[in-house]
Amino acid sequence: MNIVVCVKQVPDTWAERTLRPADSCLDRASVDGVINELDEYAIEEGLLQAEAHDGEVTILSMGPQKAAESIRKALSMGADKAVHLVDDGLAGSDALGTSLALSTVLARIGFDLVILGAEATDARMGVLPAMLAERLRVPQLSLARKVEIDGNTVTVHRLTEYGYDQVVASLPAVVSVVEKINEPRYPSFKGIMAAKKKPVETLSLADAGIDPAQVGLGAAATEVLSFAKRPPRQAGTIVKDEGDGGSKAAEFLAAQKFI
Amino acid sequence: MAKILVLAEHSGESVKKVTLELLTLARRFGEPSVVWLGPGAEAGRERLAEYGAATVYAADGEGLADYVITPAVGVLADLVSEVSPGAVLLAATGDGKEIAGRLAVRTGSGVLTDVVGLTPGEDGSGPVAEQSIFGGAITVRSRVRTGTPIIAVRPNSTTPEPAPAAGELRQIAAQSPEQSLAARITDRVVQERGERPDLTEASIVVSGGRGVNGTENFTRYIEPLADALGAAVGASRAVTDAGWYPHQFQVGQTGKTVSPQLYVAVGISGAIQHRAGMQTSKTIMVINKDPEAPIFELADFGVVGDLFTVVPQLVEEIGRRKES
Ligand SMILES: Cc1cc2nc3c(=O)[nH]c(=O)nc-3n(C[C@H](O)[C@H](O)[C@H](O)COP(=O)(O)OP(=O)(O)OC[C@H]3O[C@@H](n4cnc5c(N)ncnc54)[C@H](O)[C@@H]3O)c2cc1C
Ligand SMILES: Nc1ncnc2c1ncn2[C@@H]1O[C@H](COP(=O)(O)O)[C@@H](O)[C@H]1O
């Protein structure tokens, strides 16, 4: 089974993230990049399914040169090989452009199963898995907290507002995962050494056959008009409980008209 | 005046508050029409009309509810080409965002998610959306410049205001998806939900964390406080992982994003992933015994103390004040 896991490098959530004044794009250069948290769960699920079904895991990432670090980490967890789509013409792509680029590469390399994290911590849109399924014309099994593959059939438990749905589709398919699904492994020393020798194919827009006019900031279907730092929250009132903490809290709620 | 399509969120016949909020926003730049999937449109129509729906497009058909996401996309895409709306508004829930994403691809349009404010563009250039990013640190104004603006708006972004309109009911067709593309729902597992308000819609949320220490304590401390305030109950991931409370109540990066008038965090440390789901709450109250807990950075009012003594006293005091 041919499994592709889409991995995005994002700024470390703990770092102070900013937009560049010149083009209102995320300033990716000034902060440490890490694998998007949920994508680690996607990688783990890919590895587990590959182990169970005699499969192979390919990592696909679109991002600047720096994203190579994250690709290497994914390989050290145990993925077999990787494809890195990197081109200055991709900078500033919105969700529409990103989904076009990734789906073009996916169609080229072929897949039985594509696994993604349900959302990335930077833009937090959570739309890409659905967009890829739409572009690739395959079923979408999103927000999965459990995945089971039996022959050509894939079954997931999909989180809902009220619990979960059992959802069934046939392969090839796109699956997105939430963090309840597994516990991502840490790369072992052996894994880290082995990753150095694993193949990473680097593709430019031209290599991938993607029309540069349809991706990047210029082609984005959305635009940022302006942005502003939110004024810092005003420091609140903190009281130490001396037997009256509950009453003080009630006083605050009453003063704010909540009770 | 351009039509603005609003995808209704409803449970059975009852219209969710977020839909009335979307209607209120839609009126600012067009004539709102509602798209209703599944049964119940006739019963819901009146309320939608009260809040400004000129038309209610109702799509009901066999199997419509049996597939994930795609039936809604099909119905909306057909309507987009038929009525050329000025925008499509959806609720920024898990489903809403996925429908928005697919619809954007199908119609070649730009999509904006997690919008917290919406105003008409100065030059009639379509709606301008406000988004709060990086855990609320930065506010962005953005717009769609290609295709039909597809905009997923967070619940609680505005106060619903009535503005009666015709609410004319129109039945439309809905097709089942092609079998090879279908993700079919074969079972629905409903975990207990109770009588409390919906977590994403509630104007007050009381959340418990690892400090609450067990299911029983949720029943004994968190739920009574929530009920005293008429609030929804939320939980941190530590709690849902431990199985003390069902996952659909998780607040945070991979749980629900809430933006209530008041968020009460009890026994929660305030990890970045939790903050991602509650940071835009208007007022935040904290009860935690560790004065160094990062959640206090967000607190408008905080009590450093043991929740097992502070919460009961608070519940009692609320009861007393209600009586008098
Ligand atoms: C991919 C990923 C996704 C995640 N998504 C989410 C998410 O969506 N939502 C989420 O919440 N977390 C999420 N997390 C987990 C997050 O990192 C934290 O681990 C989690 O939020 C901690 O929960 P907590 O605050 O309840 O527990 P803790 O961090 O253990 O904090 C418990 C707090 O309770 C206080 N306390 C203990 N006893 C008492 C008492 N008697 N009285 C008063 N206070 C007391 C302690 O002082 C402490 O501050 C995610 C993590 C990852 C890796
Ligand atoms: N540039 C990218 N390269 C590879 N995968 C991506 C990229 N952007 C997003 N993804 C995948 O899509 C998921 C959802 O992203 P988003 O819709 O941006 O929140 C992520 O968890 C990744 O798995």
Side-chain angles (χ1 to χ4, degrees), chain A residues 86-148:
Chain A
V86 47
D87 195 305
D88 288 346
L90 283 162
S93 295
D94 66 351
L96 212 56
T98 303
S99 67
L100 176 73
L102 288 175
S103 64
T104 308
V105 178
L106 282 164
R108 257 175 89 98
I109 60 183
F111 59 89
D112 297 307
L113 187 64
V114 182
I115 310 181
L116 303 92
E119 103 178 4
T121 52
D122 51 357
R124 295 203 64 208
M125 290 188 76
V127 293
L128 219 66
M131 290 176 123
L132 285 185
E134 177 74 24
R135 288 198 187 272
L136 294 164
R137 295 189 52 80
V138 298
Q140 161 190 353
L141 300 126
S142 43
L143 306 175
R145 60 172 217 188
K146 185 173 161 204
V147 178
E148 253 168 26

Side-chain angles (χ1 to χ4, degrees), chain A residues 134 140 142 180 223 225, chain B residues 98 106 141 143 241 247:
Chain A
E134 177 74 24
Q140 161 190 353
S142 43
K180 298 280 176 211
E223 73 181 322
L225 299 170
Chain B
E98 293 190 348
R106 205 169 290 184
R141 284 171 64 252
R143 71 179 184 102
D241 273 359
H247 178 267

Side-chain angles (χ1 to χ4, degrees), chain A residues 223 225, chain B residues 29 86 119-128 143-147 149:
Chain A
E223 73 181 322
L225 299 170
Chain B
F29 47 88
T119 45
E122 284 111 45
D123 47 357
S125 59
V128 173
R143 71 179 184 102
V144 169
R145 60 177 189 192
T146 307

Side-chain angles (χ1 to χ4, degrees), chain B residues 17-265:
Chain B
K17 193 174 89 192
V18 63
T19 302
L20 309 180
E21 294 166 4
L22 295 183
L23 283 170
T24 305
L25 290 173
R27 287 205 305 273
R28 294 182 185 167
F29 47 88
E31 181 192 78
S33 286
V34 170
V35 181
W36 183 290
L37 300 176
E42 260 132 87
R45 192 199 67 85
E46 208 173 309
R47 192 142 176 81
L48 297 169
E50 191 188 331
Y51 283 84
T55 313
V56 177
Y57 296 100
D60 192 8
E62 208 182 325
L64 189 65
D66 293 345
Y67 299 94
V68 176
I69 305 297
T70 45
V73 179
V75 168
L76 286 169
D78 286 349
L79 275 172
V80 165
S81 59
E82 194 186 313
V83 308
S84 310
V88 179
L89 306 188
L90 313 89
T93 55
D95 280 12
K97 293 207 288 186
E98 293 190 348
I99 294 168
R102 291 192 78 130
L103 185 63
V105 169
R106 205 169 290 184
T107 60
S109 304
V111 56
L112 298 168
T113 62
D114 294 288
V115 166
V116 294
L118 211 50
T119 45
E122 284 111 45
D123 47 357
S125 59
V128 173
E130 192 185 306
Q131 290 162 300
S132 168
I133 61 168
F134 305 154
I138 294 180
T139 306
V140 174
R141 284 171 64 252
S142 47
R143 71 179 184 102
V144 169
R145 60 177 189 192
T146 307
T148 305
I150 297 172
I151 300 177
V153 182
R154 267 193 202 157
N156 278 331
S157 293
T158 193
T159 310
E161 284 157 23
E168 183 202 342
L169 192 64
R170 285 193 39 198
Q171 301 291 342
I172 53 170
Q175 295 118 17
S176 296
E178 279 171 55
Q179 281 309 305
S180 64
L181 305 186
R184 198 159 53 85
I185 300 168
T186 51
D187 190 19
R188 285 177 201 278
V189 178
V190 179
Q191 289 167 334
E192 66 195 273
R193 72 174 305 167
E195 299 302 303
R196 297 193 182 85
D198 204 60
L199 180 54
T200 43
E201 303 217 319
S203 49
I204 304 182
V205 173
V206 176
S207 283
R210 200 195 308 268
V212 177
N213 197 18
T215 308
E216 251 173 59
N217 288 342
F218 255 81
T219 319
R220 201 174 309 159
Y221 296 91
I222 301 302
E223 291 182 345
L225 178 55
D227 292 341
L229 291 166
V233 172
S236 72
R237 178 180 170 199
V239 166
T240 59
D241 273 359
W244 299 342
Y245 225 69
H247 178 267
Q248 71 261 36
F249 296 98
Q250 180 172 316
V251 171
Q253 184 185 306
T254 43
K256 303 259 153 63
T257 301
V258 300
S259 211
Q261 296 299 322
L262 171 67
Y263 188 85
V264 185

Side-chain angles (χ1 to χ4, degrees), chain A residues 60-213:
Chain A
L60 169 58
S61 188
M62 154 178 154
Q65 202 48 52
K66 207 170 129 184
E69 306 152 15
S70 293
I71 292 176
R72 206 51 79 177
K73 180 171 178 207
L75 292 172
S76 68
M77 286 172 73
D80 299 286
K81 55 189 170 58
V83 177
H84 184 183
L85 181 62
V86 47
D87 195 305
D88 288 346
L90 283 162
S93 295
D94 66 351
L96 212 56
T98 303
S99 67
L100 176 73
L102 288 175
S103 64
T104 308
V105 178
L106 282 164
R108 257 175 89 98
I109 60 183
F111 59 89
D112 297 307
L113 187 64
V114 182
I115 310 181
L116 303 92
E119 103 178 4
T121 52
D122 51 357
R124 295 203 64 208
M125 290 188 76
V127 293
L128 219 66
M131 290 176 123
L132 285 185
E134 177 74 24
R135 288 198 187 272
L136 294 164
R137 295 189 52 80
V138 298
Q140 161 190 353
L141 300 126
S142 43
L143 306 175
R145 60 172 217 188
K146 185 173 161 204
V147 178
E148 253 168 26
I149 298 170
D150 183 7
N152 200 34
T153 303
V154 49
T155 305
V156 309
H157 286 180
R158 178 179 190 270
L159 282 185
T160 62
E161 293 286 313
Y162 47 81
Y164 66 88
D165 286 348
Q166 178 171 293
V167 179
V168 181
S170 56
L171 296 176
V174 169
V175 167
S176 77
V177 303
V178 299
E179 91 290 354
K180 298 280 176 211
I181 194 159
N182 58 38
E183 203 42 67
R185 65 194 70 181
Y186 288 102
S188 66
F189 179 69
K190 223 177 104 203
I192 293 169
M193 296 315 288
K196 296 192 170 144
K197 296 198 268 324
K198 289 179 178 170
V200 179
E201 186 186 1
T202 305
L203 297 179
S204 66
L205 285 174
D207 297 335
I210 298 165
D211 177 3

